[in-house]
Amino acid sequence: GQQLNQSPQSMFIQEGEDVSMNCTSSSIFNTWLWYKQDPGEGPVLLIALYKAGELTSNGRLTAQFGITRKDSFLNISASIPSDVGIYFCAGHGGGADGLTFGKGTHLIIQP
Amino acid sequence: ETGVTQSPTHLIKTRGQQVTLRCSSQSGHNTVSWYQQALGQGPQFIFQYYREEENGRGNFPPRFSGLQFPNYSSELNVNALELDDSALYLCASSPRIPGANVLTFGAGSRLTVL
C-alpha cells in the first residue's frame, strides 16, 4: 500500500538539540497529522493540521501544513530524553479514506 | 474517559487458521478503523466502520473482514492466515464530526503466524 515519504529515517542527536523531520506526498491531503509511537504502544497524536499553510505548536513541538498540501514538517525544540521514539506523519484525503502514514522517523537521543 | 482497548495483546497462529481480534472504542467515539503495522513500517489502513457498516477500505483482500456492534466496539477477522499477516494490528476510534480525522489508537494486538 501507499506510504508517504518521510525523512530522515533515523536521527541520533544530543539532548538539548533541535530536531526537524518532514514528509512529502504525491497526493494532496486535506489534513496532516503527526503521531509518536513508543515501544509496545499505539501511535499517540501530537499535532493535527487542517489548512494549507497552517503553522501549529504544541509545547516544544511545531508543525506546518505545506501550501501545496503535499508536504508537512515537524520541529522539536530543545529535545529531552522522553522525546525518544518513532514519529509518524499521516495524511487524510477526506471522506471515508483512511490515514496514509509515512514509514516513520526513529529519534534517538544520546546523553 | 477510557481510551481504546484491544484484546488479545499477543497471539500465535499457524498458516491457514483464522483469527478474531477485538476492540473497544473510546467513550463518545462512534467510528472505528483498523490498521496493520508490519515491523519497521507505518500503519496501513484496512477498513473503517460507522453505524455497524464498512464505509471505507484499504488495499486488503476479502479474507480481512470486520464487524461493528451497537456499542461501537469492533472485531477484525482474518481467514486463511498467511505468514505475511504477522504484524501489529491497531484499532483506532474517532468521533464522526467534520474535521475529526484525528484517531485515538489502542496499543494493538501482535499477531505471529507460523
Side-chain angles (χ1 to χ4, degrees), chain A residues 31 35 37 45 50 96 99, chain B residues 35 37 41 55 99 101-103:
Chain A
T31 305
Y35 284 87
Q37 186 174 27
L45 180 71
Y50 297 104
L99 297 184
Chain B
Y35 287 76
Q37 186 176 22
Q41 303 293 317
N55 76 337
N101 308 316
V102 174
L103 303 182

Side-chain angles (χ1 to χ4, degrees), chain B residues 1-106:
Chain B
E1 60 183 19
T2 58
V4 177
T5 57
Q6 293 186 242
S7 63
T9 55
H10 296 81
L11 70 166
I12 300 173
K13 293 284 188 177
T14 56
R15 274 187 304 174
Q17 285 189 312
Q18 179 265 345
V19 69
T20 297
L21 308 177
R22 297 179 174 81
C23 172
S24 294
S25 59
Q26 179 168 315
S27 175
H29 288 186
N30 55 16
T31 301
V32 175
S33 50
W34 286 89
Y35 287 76
Q36 180 194 66
Q37 186 176 22
L39 203 59
Q41 303 293 317
Q44 297 272 342
F45 175 61
I46 302 175
F47 45 53
Q48 175 178 285
Y49 276 80
Y50 173 66
R51 289 186 173 177
E52 302 174 46
E53 290 192 0
E54 182 183 302
N55 76 337
R57 190 178 184 94
N59 189 26
F60 280 81
R63 60 189 185 84
F64 285 79
S65 63
L67 288 171
Q68 186 184 29
F69 301 100
N71 66 354
Y72 308 128
S73 66
S74 176
E75 286 183 357
L76 165 66
N77 298 292
V78 186
N79 293 323
L81 284 167
E82 301 176 0
L83 296 179
D84 284 350
D85 295 334
S86 294
L88 181 68
Y89 287 85
L90 295 164
C91 173
S93 68
S94 60
R96 185 79 169 186
I97 58 176
N101 308 316
V102 174
L103 303 182
T104 300
F105 283 89

Side-chain angles (χ1 to χ4, degrees), chain A:
Chain A
Q2 179 192 2
Q3 288 199 319
L4 305 179
N5 300 311
Q6 188 172 348
S7 64
Q9 189 173 11
S10 57
M11 301 182 73
F12 294 81
I13 63 166
Q14 301 282 341
E15 184 177 347
E17 286 186 19
D18 296 343
V19 171
S20 183
M21 59 191 78
N22 66 76
C23 204
T24 60
S25 169
S26 57
S27 306
I28 288 173
F29 288 114
N30 293 327
T31 305
W32 279 93
L33 304 156
W34 286 91
Y35 284 87
K36 178 175 182 274
Q37 186 174 27
D38 292 328
E41 302 291 330
V44 174
L45 180 71
L46 299 173
I47 291 182
L49 301 155
Y50 297 104
K51 288 172 57 175
E54 179 181 353
L55 184 71
T56 296
S57 293
N58 178 9
R60 294 179 296 105
L61 278 59
T62 301
Q64 184 158 29
F65 190 144
I67 57 173
T68 66
R69 296 165 65 191
K70 291 183 177 181
D71 64 309
S72 178
F73 72 74
L74 174 71
N75 289 339
I76 305 172
S77 62
S79 58
I80 59 178
S82 62
D83 291 334
V84 165
I86 303 177
Y87 291 80
F88 290 99
C89 61
H92 187 258
D97 290 354
L99 297 184
T100 301
F101 281 84
K103 286 191 172 184
T105 294
H106 195 173
L107 180 61
I108 299 159
I109 298 177
Q110 299 163 332

